[in-house]
Amino acid sequence: MDLQAKKTALRKIPHGVYVVGVKQGTQLNAFTATWLTQVSFTPPLVALGIKKDSHSLEMIRSDRVFSVNLLGKSQKPLAEHFVKPASVVGEKLKDVPHRPGKTGAPVLEEAIAYFECEVREIANEHGDHAVVIGEVVEAGAPKDEPALTLMDTGWHYGG
Ligand SMILES: Cc1cc2nc3c(=O)[nH]c(=O)nc-3n(C[C@H](O)[C@H](O)[C@H](O)COP(=O)(O)O)c2cc1C
């Protein structure tokens, strides 16, 4: 295989940019993610790729819920804020207005839309990211705006 072509082709997959909220007991965290897609209408399921060595995955394995916050086109700085690992920068949600959702996972007040999931399955034995399959149990769409995409940011995550 041409490794450069593999990288280029995989990076052409269109993606959104999201802030995923997680909880473990009273501890909250959130991180920027892009590997997300819907995988069922009934029940409404989404699949999310999460780095196997991340603290957020550990929190998801524990409380088995997460939120997905969609950002508007002008909210790249918010996505940038949540890229930093909690282990390095500490409490990322401290200065970002948020509330506990129905599941207890943090929902950002400034999200243009959000949904919350209960974890139904965690898979991907062979990969370096776990595939977390969640059922959407709550949602809101307070702002009628187009969502931020990976292409808007000029960033890459994939290849
Ligand atoms: C553009 C971009 C997209 C990302 N997408 C994902 C993703 O889909 N899944 C993931 O696990 N990490 C993704 N990351 C990395 C996490 O945001 C990063 O590892 C973060 O530090 C994890 O936060 P935590 O350590 O507080 O759990 C992405 C990073 C960037 C810059």
Side-chain angles (χ1 to χ4, degrees), residues 16-17 22 29-36 48-52 54-57 59 79 82-88 90 92 129 150 153 155-157:
V17 177
V22 296
N29 192 34
F31 68 100
T32 298
T34 191
W35 288 359
L36 175 91
L48 172 65
I50 305 185
K51 249 197 279 185
K52 281 192 177 163
S54 81
H55 184 50
S56 293
L57 180 60
M59 294 174 74
F82 285 103
V83 163
K84 293 159 197 151
S87 55
V88 175
K92 279 185 269 187
H129 282 56
L150 195 56
T153 65
W155 299 335
H156 292 293
Y157 194 80

Side-chain angles (χ1 to χ4, degrees), residues 10-30:
L10 287 174
R11 285 185 172 185
K12 284 188 188 291
I13 300 173
H15 286 288
V17 177
Y18 315 96
V19 175
V20 174
V22 296
K23 71 177 279 282
Q24 181 171 16
T26 56
Q27 192 197 347
L28 302 178
N29 192 34

